[in-house]
């Protein structure tokens, strides 16, 4: 079936992808029952780019520290410590200031370590997919999937990206 034949059939209105016959979808994507050829997949990868979401950079140390301090209760405590020192209650002011600093340090360390742990876990879990290429089932990196690839899913598989 050609793309022109499919277009004539849809003259009454566009048909959503999930409601189309599989042969029509393969024709429109320029694929076939055996999947894409390795050369065609490489050309599409060069044209469309990787099938991956860009990773957001984590916040730097200064922003993490600022998040620990930028809290109305912390500002009230800092004001109370300043006021206590100004009124001659230096020991009371320093105790309150010490609590604020300890709280900020503990929160900063926990958030910093949690961010590093998440990054390490993301690196440990490879995202792979089974696809048909040149009529054979192959395991490829999910970032290497391109429009027109036939991805094979089994129970328990992680569905790669926006498949």
């Amino acid at each position: 079936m050609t793309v022109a034949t499919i277009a004539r059939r849809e003259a009454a209105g566009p048909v959503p992808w999930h409601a189309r016959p599989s042969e029509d979808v393969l024709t429109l994507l320029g694929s076939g029952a055996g999947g894409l050829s390795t050369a065609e997949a490489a050309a599409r990868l060069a044209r469309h780019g990787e099938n991956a979401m860009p990773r957001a950079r984590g916040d730097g140390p200064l922003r993490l520290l600022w998040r620990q301090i930028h809290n109305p209760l912390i500002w009230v405590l800092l004001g109370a410590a300043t006021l206590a020192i100004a009124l001659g209650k230096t020991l009371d002011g320093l105790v309150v200031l010490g609590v604020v600093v300890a709280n900020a340090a503990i929160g900063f360390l926990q958030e910093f370590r949690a961010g590093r742990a998440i990054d390490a876990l993301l690196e440990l879990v490879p995202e792979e997919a089974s696809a048909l290429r040149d009529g054979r089932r192959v395991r490829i990196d999910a970032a290497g999937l391109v429009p027109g690839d036939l991805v094979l899913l089994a129970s328990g598989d992680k569905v790669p990206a926006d498949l």
Side-chain angles (χ1 to χ4, degrees):
M1 185 166 305
T2 66
V3 175
T5 306
I6 296 169
R8 278 193 301 276
R9 200 175 345 143
E10 295 178 357
V15 177
W17 285 95
H18 70 276
R20 297 173 186 261
S22 59
E23 297 81 23
D24 289 2
V25 173
L26 291 174
T27 300
L28 291 170
L29 291 175
S31 189
L36 297 173
S37 68
T38 304
E40 177 61 22
R44 290 183 185 198
L45 184 62
R47 185 171 48 242
H48 296 289
E50 287 192 339
N51 182 38
M53 298 292 291
R55 284 194 181 166
R57 283 196 58 213
D59 292 334
L62 290 177
R63 185 170 290 273
L64 290 177
L65 185 59
W66 176 250
R67 268 205 307 262
Q68 299 304 316
I69 298 170
H70 191 62
N71 180 328
L73 181 59
I74 298 299
W75 290 112
V76 168
L77 287 173
L78 288 173
T82 304
L83 187 60
I85 292 172
L87 293 175
K89 304 283 188 175
T90 307
L91 184 60
D92 293 342
L94 290 177
V95 167
V96 171
L97 191 59
V99 168
V100 169
V101 169
N103 179 61
I106 291 169
F108 171 81
L109 285 174
Q110 286 179 331
E111 196 168 342
F112 183 75
R113 287 180 181 165
R116 289 184 60 199
I118 289 172
D119 290 342
L121 286 173
L122 287 174
E123 294 298 322
L124 285 177
V125 179
E127 292 189 24
E128 291 186 334
S130 292
L132 285 179
R133 293 264 173 98
D134 297 318
R136 295 180 329 228
R137 180 186 189 123
V138 293
R139 297 282 299 164
I140 59 172
D141 186 43
L145 291 174
V146 295
D149 262 332
L150 296 181
V151 179
L152 307 170
L153 297 175
S155 177
D157 280 352
K158 186 176 177 184
V159 178
D162 58 352
L163 183 67

